[in-house]
Amino acid sequence: MSDSTDTLAQLSAIIESRKPANGGDPQASYVARLLHKGPDAFLKKIGEEATEVVMACKDAEHGGDTSAILYEVADLWFHSMVALAHYGLSAQDVLAELQRREGLSGLAEKAARTPT
């Protein structure tokens, strides 16, 4: 396992341990608080962070600091991992899906999806 995969696995384990069902205390843990409040809380954060990623990229396009993109993407990934945990998924599941797509044309993969 690579260092980045280890980091994602460790963060996934921490998030899992902070679930209220696993003893996470909403008074002591930001993750537990988000999960305790329910999907609206972490979905709102995902929307905010996605917007901040877009804004950081737009700023960088006009000479802004590209490190802001990293900070905002890290926040987006983190809050997305909270959502994954809520729905019984993990970063490993996302990595497996990305591996499954390796070697596929992005256009072909998208065309093969069935509309929901």
Side-chain angles (χ1 to χ4, degrees):
M1 208 183 281
S2 70
D3 288 342
S4 57
T5 306
D6 288 344
T7 299
L8 288 173
Q10 290 169 348
L11 183 54
S12 289
I14 291 168
I15 290 170
E16 190 67 29
S17 75
R18 303 285 165 79
K19 285 182 171 180
N22 293 334
D25 179 2
Q27 299 301 317
S29 164
Y30 175 70
V31 171
R33 186 175 314 138
L34 279 175
L35 292 169
H36 177 75
K37 287 181 179 180
D40 285 348
F42 56 78
L43 295 175
K44 179 180 176 185
K45 287 301 296 179
I46 290 171
E48 290 172 5
E49 299 304 341
T51 299
E52 290 173 7
V53 168
V54 170
M55 296 311 297
C57 290
K58 291 289 215 173
D59 288 347
E61 198 62 31
H62 298 284
D65 185 2
T66 57
S67 66
I69 298 169
L70 295 175
Y71 302 138
E72 299 305 341
V73 169
D75 287 346
L76 178 59
W77 284 17
F78 172 80
H79 288 92
S80 296
M81 289 177 69
V82 171
L84 288 168
H86 175 80
Y87 294 107
L89 301 166
S90 72
Q92 283 305 121
D93 296 319
V94 175
L95 292 173
E97 175 60 16
L98 290 171
Q99 269 187 326
R100 182 190 71 77
R101 295 180 186 187
E102 187 176 345
L104 294 177
S105 157
L107 296 175
E109 192 279 331
K110 185 174 181 178
R113 292 185 210 164
T114 56
T116 54

